[in-house]
Amino acid sequence: MAFARLTGMVMQTITPDKNRPMFSEKDMKWLLDIIPPFNLSIDSEAESLLLLQSKAGFLNPQYARSYIRRAIGSDHSAPVPHTVKVSEIANELNIESAAVLRLLPFHTTRSGWILDDGGILVTRPGYSAIVDGLRISAIHSVILKDQFCNKHRISERALDRIVSEYNDALQETEAGDLWTFLCNSKSSLRNYLFTIKYKEDLASILEKRLTSATEPEKILPETLQGSPPLALIEDIIRGVIRGWKDEKANGNLEVNSGHLVFIPYSYLIILRDEVVENLKIENLEYVEYKRLTDIDRNLKDPKALISERLAGRASLLPCGAVSTSTLERLTKYATRVLRSHGVVNVEINSDIPIQDLASITLQIASRINDEMPDSNLETEITPVKDHIVTGAFLTTFEERLLAIASAQASTASFSKSSTSAPKISWPDILSSAEASYPELSPALIASLLTPSLRHRITTMFTSESKNRTQQQLETLSALWTESVLMKVHLYEAGYLSLLDEKLRIDIARLTLDHMVEGVIPEALKKAEAKELLGGKLMTRSVDQLESELDEIKSTRQTDTPVFELFNPLKSALAAFSRRAHLVNSEPSQDLLERYKVAHLQSLANSMYRDNDSPRLFLKLCVIIHGVLGPGIVYATGRFAPRLLKSFEAGVKEQEGFKDPLVGEESVERLRYLKDKVRKVQIDEEDRVAIRALGAKWIGNIGALSIPDRKNVEDKGEVKK
């Protein structure tokens, strides 16, 4: 009872009564804090009361439903707007929007109102206004949905629901077929609404125009009632055509920007026959079969049609037909060009498949070969794609490509970037061929480069590159032998022939430094200048040699026996010859002797161009030791006096040597010249005398000699 009395008091606070409420707002908030709202109900069968947003009281759900019905215009008690927001109703009732949505009347297809996106209610007056707008607009035109929705401030989803509900309602009336709306799902029509009657009326009008057409019928949307969209017109026309059973259904419909064109089948037959006739009267050189079947889709055998209409006046090809007169004209033209140029391009003023162009080229070549005696062509001709070439041209072409490949082989043999044998570069071959024959297309040149020609070029390139590589190796071997190996042998033999042990050691070390720092680097520079050190193998060999030379310079010991001083150098040079595959690089004794003679003669000749007295005397001393000894002494000016003493010692050893050049008189003369050089008292007469002595010694080369010091020492005749 206490709870009932409390409930009554609460109801009094929220019942719209002008009497003063029993409780204040503060009292009500206190009560709601101690009594949960879900326990508040008037009786056991009644709904729970609605808590106000202000939490200052409750609202009877019956009252809320009544208010909502009035808001959407269901009780017709007062005018209402076409749309109302759920949030506005919730604010008026001081309850949550979710509570308003729960209390909406049950919705059916006949409710006459809908809930749109964004919590907007389309009221019954608004719903009716939309339906009336659809009926009025769709009588003679198509409705653009987005424009219609913007006008009535609803979403397209809401419009689709209204149309669907309206269609359901119309199906129960006699006028249903008249006013049923179509919400087309096709992507091209989904933004439009139109009635069945409008579509049927439009189809009837279009069918009359199509069936009466004898020429292409242009259809513009603006010439039709309601200016329907192009997509709807196309959809209707294709439906009409599908319904035809006779040949007129084979007409073509072309869709263009802003209009459509219907071409009746009778007109297509005329177009098809005109194409064949143009080939017959030579207005066309060539006709592709597909062109005829594209015009007349019912044409199953275009070959038979052309053969029947143009018997003997056209040549049938795999993809089309060419007129006989065109073949004759091209044959005469090709024969004339082949006589002067050896190659001709078969040109037809039409787009033609490659297969048919090759067939035409083959026919023309066959005609020319058949008429060979009358064509003044000396060799048979060959078709190549869309070109024809003579045998003479092919021979010249092949020779040119072989020459290009030969030139490539001569320059590719020792490429620094190569890791193996040189390889032919076909892109370079083709590029050079295109430059040699600018009148030929790259495609034709590639076609002329047949597999057999490729094989010939490859074989020739491989052979020539091998020969070129071998020639370069032989050239390098000869240069290396002359510039390095001969000097190693002759210089070693030269310093070993010296009697004075201290002089022998000093000259040996000087010579080794000269070889490592001067002779060998200079020889490598000369070989590189002649492009003989290309290829990664050769580069690695040179790098290894230079590394070994650096090691010789850094590790040379002062106590190394003189007879072993050159051994590391000779080992490094032998290893380089093996790595670099040098051929016959080790010089023979005969070659060494000839080189020594040439070197001494060159030295004697140079004395006539030299006015430097100390250098002249040094050259004379070197010549004397070279003539008497097995090798050549390498020395600088400071060694000239010591070389003269070595010569004097050798003369003393040669008991019974009667030649005046080696006698005491010669020694005395040399001492005299040495003293004058030392005192800088030498004059031109003395220089002439030095040159003359050099010439005399060279004149006696081979007749004079002293023992090889190494052999003497091996016999125990020279003490270390």
Side-chain angles (χ1 to χ4, degrees), residues 13-78:
T13 65
I14 61 175
T15 301
D17 187 53
K18 294 182 180 181
N19 297 328
R20 184 174 179 179
M22 183 179 294
F23 296 101
S24 68
E25 183 176 341
K26 182 177 180 181
D27 295 334
M28 289 303 301
K29 288 183 178 181
W30 175 79
L31 287 171
L32 291 176
D33 284 339
I34 63 173
I35 304 174
F38 55 81
N39 288 331
L40 298 178
S41 61
I42 300 173
D43 55 55
S44 60
E45 296 181 358
E47 292 181 279
S48 297
L49 299 175
L50 300 173
L51 178 64
L52 299 179
Q53 276 188 305
S54 62
K55 300 186 183 301
F58 298 96
L59 183 66
N60 190 323
Q62 299 284 345
Y63 174 79
R65 281 197 176 88
S66 175
Y67 184 90
I68 292 172
R69 281 196 297 272
R70 289 196 302 274
I72 62 177
S74 295
D75 60 359
H76 307 286
S77 60

Side-chain angles (χ1 to χ4, degrees), residues 483-484 487 491 513-524:
S483 301
V484 177
K487 291 182 179 180
Y491 284 165
D513 290 341
H514 175 60
M515 289 298 303
V516 171
E517 297 176 1
V519 173
I520 296 175
E522 187 63 31
L524 291 175

Side-chain angles (χ1 to χ4, degrees), residues 122-246:
V122 179
T123 64
R124 290 179 64 86
Y127 190 97
S128 299
I130 292 171
V131 171
D132 291 341
L134 288 173
R135 294 182 60 188
I136 295 171
S137 301
I139 293 176
H140 301 300
S141 64
V142 175
I143 297 173
L144 189 60
K145 290 172 64 176
D146 56 354
Q147 292 181 359
F148 189 89
C149 290
N150 289 337
K151 178 181 177 181
H152 291 274
R153 294 184 296 176
I154 60 172
S155 67
E156 289 192 18
R157 190 180 67 84
L159 178 60
D160 290 342
R161 285 184 57 194
I162 292 173
V163 170
S164 176
E165 292 176 3
Y166 186 63
N167 281 339
D168 292 342
L170 286 178
Q171 286 178 2
E172 302 174 8
T173 68
E174 295 180 357
D177 290 338
L178 181 63
W179 294 111
T180 299
F181 285 89
L182 299 178
C183 185
N184 200 300
S185 62
K186 290 184 179 180
S187 59
S188 58
L189 296 175
R190 65 188 312 151
N191 290 326
Y192 299 96
L193 287 173
F194 45 87
T195 65
I196 288 179
K197 185 175 188 311
Y198 175 80
K199 184 179 180 182
E200 289 177 348
D201 291 344
L202 193 58
S204 176
I205 294 170
L206 290 171
E207 185 170 14
K208 289 179 182 178
R209 291 179 61 175
L210 300 183
T211 54
S212 62
T214 57
E215 294 183 351
E217 179 74 9
K218 185 176 183 180
I219 302 170
L220 297 167
E222 54 266 28
T223 63
L224 299 173
Q225 187 180 45
S227 298
L230 207 63
L232 177 58
I233 301 174
E234 180 187 356
D235 183 66
I236 292 173
I237 291 178
R238 295 198 184 281
V240 169
I241 293 175
R242 283 194 298 269
W244 291 340
K245 302 301 181 184
D246 54 16

Side-chain angles (χ1 to χ4, degrees), residues 617 621 636-646 674 678:
F617 189 75
C621 293
T636 58
R638 65 189 179 90
F639 287 97
R642 298 172 66 183
L643 288 175
L644 179 57
K645 287 183 179 180
S646 178
K674 180 198 72 171
R678 181 174 60 83

Side-chain angles (χ1 to χ4, degrees), residues 416-469:
K416 283 212 168 193
S417 61
S418 63
T419 57
S420 57
K423 294 182 180 179
I424 192 168
S425 172
W426 290 110
D428 290 345
I429 296 288
L430 290 172
S431 178
S432 298
E434 291 169 12
S436 300
Y437 295 95
E439 71 278 8
L440 303 184
S441 67
L444 175 61
I445 290 176
S447 299
L448 291 173
L449 190 58
T450 59
S452 61
L453 179 56
R454 279 179 176 264
H455 178 70
R456 287 179 58 196
I457 291 174
T458 302
T459 302
M460 184 275 301
F461 178 88
T462 302
S463 175
E464 290 205 8
S465 62
K466 285 183 178 179
N467 293 338
R468 172 66 175 169
T469 301

